[in-house]
Amino acid sequence: MVYQTSTSQGNLISILQEMKKEKFFVYGFNKSEEHGNVILKPFSEAGFIEDLASAKAVIANGGFSLISECVYLHKPVCSIPIQNQFEQFVNASYIEKLGYGRHFNEFHPDSLKAFLYSLPDFEKNLKGYKQDGNRVLFDLLDKAIAAL
């Protein structure tokens, strides 16, 4: 699945089309079109959630919300942060540092191939990610409140 909110990636469709063995569902253009293995989809909350849940990986900018959803769902992330968005750069860097995906400053066919080639490693690393919702946070809050 691809979530593209920046208009700076004009060659996105042509790069994705080079990966003929892969199928890409692309959100962010707000269009309903097919370009071979690249399917542009208008935003639909139900459709987006379904595609995210069934995706083998996600290509996105560096926004925190989607990246955190991907990690929670154990989906490898290829992150290309929007230029001059420091927080997106930090998020993308951590994805790579944790071994959950890759961070690229620009989107190129070779970088996408490198990401796809490494999917088994990212999937293995994501299996080690566990959490219990917000239980740890709530337990700490309960302790802090009880100490008052």
Side-chain angles (χ1 to χ4, degrees):
M1 188 182 94
V2 180
Y3 184 63
Q4 177 66 33
T5 57
S6 172
T7 58
S8 63
Q9 195 61 52
N11 60 347
L12 176 72
I13 294 172
S14 62
I15 289 174
L16 296 175
Q17 287 176 317
E18 290 186 33
M19 313 302 137
K20 299 198 182 303
K21 293 182 180 180
E22 302 293 337
K23 186 180 226 178
F24 299 95
F25 295 110
V26 181
Y27 287 87
F29 290 95
N30 208 26
K31 295 180 181 178
S32 182
E33 298 177 359
E34 287 195 31
H35 301 268
N37 63 327
V38 180
I39 295 103
L40 304 182
K41 298 180 98 174
F43 186 76
S44 147
E45 187 172 332
F48 183 84
I49 291 170
E50 182 179 321
D51 288 337
L52 177 59
S54 64
K56 71 177 177 180
V58 175
I59 300 167
N61 299 125
F64 178 76
S65 294
L66 182 56
I67 286 178
S68 61
E69 291 165 352
C70 291
V71 171
Y72 182 80
L73 294 171
H74 297 113
K75 305 295 179 184
V77 177
C78 179
S79 181
I80 304 95
I82 296 173
Q83 288 186 349
N84 301 319
Q85 297 290 322
F86 178 73
E87 70 282 0
Q88 289 203 4
F89 175 82
V90 170
N91 296 335
S93 296
Y94 265 94
I95 280 295
E96 187 158 329
K97 181 179 180 177
L98 294 168
Y100 298 163
R102 292 293 303 268
H103 160 218
F104 298 106
N105 290 327
E106 295 181 14
F107 194 61
H108 295 288
D110 289 342
S111 56
L112 180 56
K113 288 175 188 172
F115 170 69
L116 293 171
Y117 179 80
S118 299
L119 283 180
D121 295 329
F122 305 140
E123 291 164 350
K124 179 183 171 204
N125 294 336
L126 282 160
K127 283 183 182 176
Y129 173 79
K130 296 187 182 2
Q131 69 149 306
D132 186 18
N134 291 320
R135 183 70 345 225
V136 172
L137 172 65
F138 292 145
D139 289 345
L140 290 171
L141 286 172
D142 288 343
K143 287 179 185 176
I145 292 169
L148 293 177

